[in-house]
Amino acid sequence: MKNEDDAKDVFQEAFIVVFQKINQFKFEGSFEGWMKRIFINKLIEALNKKKKESFFLDVFDPDTDFIEEPELDIPPIEQEKLLEYIRDLPDQYRTVFNLYVFEKMKHKEIAELLKISEGTSKSNLNRAKRILQKRILSIKNFKTA
């Protein structure tokens, strides 16, 4: 979520769902995984409510969205600054980025969860990385040449 209050609201709503449905947990996997799925679903539901229609465009261009770029030697950035940059990403990019990077989900899982194609998931991740890279490099006065 873009701000802490919205994140707290989603967090609280997810915990309510966990407590209401705890009797549905079948001990067929980890409890943590079961809870995680509820939290992710609640987050996506909240993001979709903010928009009149799904905020994911299922469109990508393989010629421009998967350009290999050389690795840059970027000095460390403060964690809080990086988290701020991630929070500032457009919703669709931030969601895919967080699911891929922090939740360690595969593009296939993300695509199924968000009802988008794997290509769109990859495209959104790539665009998020490019936006973050540009912001970090502009602060550090680096050049991408």
Side-chain angles (χ1 to χ4, degrees):
M1 302 302 292
K2 280 208 182 261
N3 67 60
E4 190 175 337
D5 289 336
D6 288 345
K8 286 179 181 178
D9 288 345
V10 171
F11 191 79
Q12 180 177 346
E13 288 175 25
F15 260 116
I16 290 169
V17 172
V18 167
F19 287 120
Q20 288 174 339
K21 299 188 182 236
I22 198 155
N23 62 333
Q24 295 177 11
F25 178 64
K26 297 179 178 155
F27 298 94
E28 294 174 352
S30 74
F31 182 71
E32 179 184 86
W34 180 79
M35 269 184 48
K36 182 177 172 180
R37 177 62 61 176
I38 290 172
F39 275 76
I40 290 171
N41 287 340
K42 219 34 169 160
L43 171 65
I44 291 167
E45 180 183 306
L47 290 171
N48 281 330
K49 279 182 184 176
K50 290 176 86 174
K51 307 284 181 184
K52 292 192 184 211
E53 55 191 50
S54 179
F55 57 84
F56 288 95
L57 297 177
D58 196 9
V59 180
F60 75 100
D61 181 351
D63 294 329
T64 60
D65 287 338
F66 300 110
I67 297 170
E68 286 291 325
E69 295 184 13
E71 290 290 321
L72 298 172
D73 186 24
I74 300 174
I77 182 172
E78 294 176 21
Q79 181 179 356
E80 283 303 314
K81 188 55 99 175
L82 181 58
L83 291 174
E84 175 188 325
Y85 291 167
I86 293 169
R87 275 192 300 271
D88 289 344
L89 288 169
D91 290 344
Q92 67 274 24
Y93 300 160
R94 186 180 67 253
T95 302
V96 171
F97 182 87
N98 286 338
L99 291 173
Y100 187 84
V101 173
F102 297 117
E103 300 301 329
K104 308 279 189 244
M105 293 177 76
K106 305 284 184 215
H107 286 292
K108 183 176 182 176
E109 296 172 293
I110 295 169
E112 289 172 6
L113 180 67
L114 300 177
K115 296 175 180 52
I116 58 176
S117 71
E118 284 184 60
T120 298
S121 176
K122 292 175 183 177
S123 171
N124 285 333
L125 176 64
N126 192 38
R127 291 175 183 165
K129 287 179 176 180
R130 278 197 248 158
I131 291 169
L132 292 172
Q133 183 182 53
K134 285 179 185 174
R135 290 213 51 200
I136 292 168
L137 292 176
S138 71
I139 292 294
K140 300 290 183 182
N141 293 324
F142 276 40
K143 296 187 180 184
T144 58

